[in-house]
Amino acid sequence: QKEVEQNSGPLSVPEGAIASLNCTYSDRVSQSFFWYRQYSGKSPELIMSIYSNGDKEDGRFTAQLNKASQYVSLLIRDSQPSDSATYLCAVPTVSNFNKFYFGSGTKLNVKP
Amino acid sequence: EAGVVQSPRYKIIEKKQPVAFWCNPISGHNTLYWYRQNLGQGPELLIRYENEEAVDDSQLPKDRFSAERLKGVDSTLKIQPAELGDSAVYLCASSLRGVNEAFFGQGTRLTVV
């Protein structure tokens, strides 16, 4: 089992809809979780972090964490074509705070 | 403030040739990472430095890859000799020690022919 798993997609949503991206992780004691956005041909860019159960909102982005289910999600409201990218979930190991495991990413296409 | 700077952006070499990548992290960031990203995959850690010390190099193919971070700032990653399977994007990232948030450079796209 991989440490971090994501559906590779592509996930296609119409402009203005809510895009829901999901990530599961294997280390039950993981404490922090990150979402990176990666445009084609570019490097990953940190867009959200979440440390506690529940929701964290930042503009059109909401990160949701459920530690009991070992599940973290990213919701993008009012999706725009400029949101079309691959979204990577990253989870650092508990034993080694600065070592990240990345999922393979979910490709999102927002259709105008 | 400047972000993580990498060079070159692109490199095409023949197999069995050597190649080197350079990274300058964000000023003050103690932790430096080298990742490799294959097409359609997430980044995979090759090596992590805390200042000038390599604290995690378990994923680095040591028979052909080497890295250094002299004076705890800039870092170089070298491959010698390169193989066809080394074609990938090599990403450098940095963070403050004890802070999870890592920031990536633009990456170097390596093509081995």
Side-chain angles (χ1 to χ4, degrees):
Chain A
Q1 181 186 7
K2 287 188 174 181
E3 288 82 3
V4 180
E5 299 209 49
Q6 296 180 255
N7 188 320
S8 61
L11 173 66
S12 292
V13 299
E15 184 174 356
I18 296 175
S20 177
L21 305 162
N22 304 316
C23 170
T24 58
Y25 58 94
S26 61
D27 190 341
R28 183 171 293 277
V29 296
S30 292
Q31 298 293 315
S32 51
F33 308 86
F34 301 86
W35 284 100
Y36 285 80
R37 177 177 62 199
Q38 187 172 27
Y39 292 113
S40 181
K42 303 295 185 182
S43 60
E45 172 194 13
L46 180 65
I47 56 171
M48 287 286 284
S49 59
I50 187 166
Y51 299 89
S52 56
N53 267 340
D55 296 359
K56 178 182 177 183
E57 188 173 317
D58 183 0
R60 295 186 296 110
F61 296 93
T62 299
Q64 298 177 320
L65 175 60
N66 184 325
K67 290 185 177 180
S69 299
Q70 295 177 236
Y71 178 96
V72 58
S73 63
L74 180 69
L75 302 179
I76 306 175
R77 290 183 301 281
D78 187 24
S79 294
Q80 302 296 309
S82 60
D83 295 325
S84 297
T86 296
Y87 290 81
L88 298 162
C89 176
V91 182
T93 59
V94 174
S95 60
N96 194 333
F97 196 64
N98 280 57
K99 180 170 184 174
F100 293 83
Y101 288 105
F102 283 84
S104 56
T106 298
K107 185 174 176 60
L108 173 66
N109 291 327
V110 181
K111 298 180 179 179
Chain B
E1 179 181 306
V4 178
V5 179
Q6 289 186 247
S7 67
R9 292 293 311 278
Y10 305 93
K11 190 74 176 179
I12 301 175
I13 61 171
E14 293 183 345
K15 62 182 180 181
K16 300 185 181 179
Q17 295 301 305
V19 64
F21 314 125
W22 175 81
C23 173
N24 178 246
I26 293 173
S27 178
H29 280 195
N30 319 85
T31 305
L32 183 145
Y33 313 78
W34 282 104
Y35 284 91
R36 177 170 59 189
Q37 187 174 25
N38 292 306
L39 191 64
Q41 299 296 315
E44 294 182 295
L45 181 69
L46 292 173
I47 189 167
R48 176 170 68 89
Y49 283 92
E50 294 290 348
N51 298 310
E52 65 274 7
E53 181 182 1
V55 295
D56 186 349
D57 62 357
S58 57
Q59 299 293 98
L60 190 71
K62 298 182 183 62
D63 56 336
R64 297 184 300 107
F65 286 65
S66 64
E68 60 182 10
R69 190 183 184 197
L70 300 176
K71 300 181 181 179
V73 181
D74 294 0
S75 177
T76 57
L77 177 68
K78 298 178 182 178
I79 308 174
Q80 182 172 12
E83 297 179 353
L84 295 176
D86 296 331
S87 295
V89 175
Y90 290 82
L91 294 163
C92 179
S94 70
S95 67
L96 289 169
R97 181 188 294 174
V99 178
N100 285 131
E101 298 178 354
F103 298 88
F104 284 85
Q106 318 96 300
T108 297
R109 182 176 298 276
L110 174 67
T111 302
V112 182
V113 297

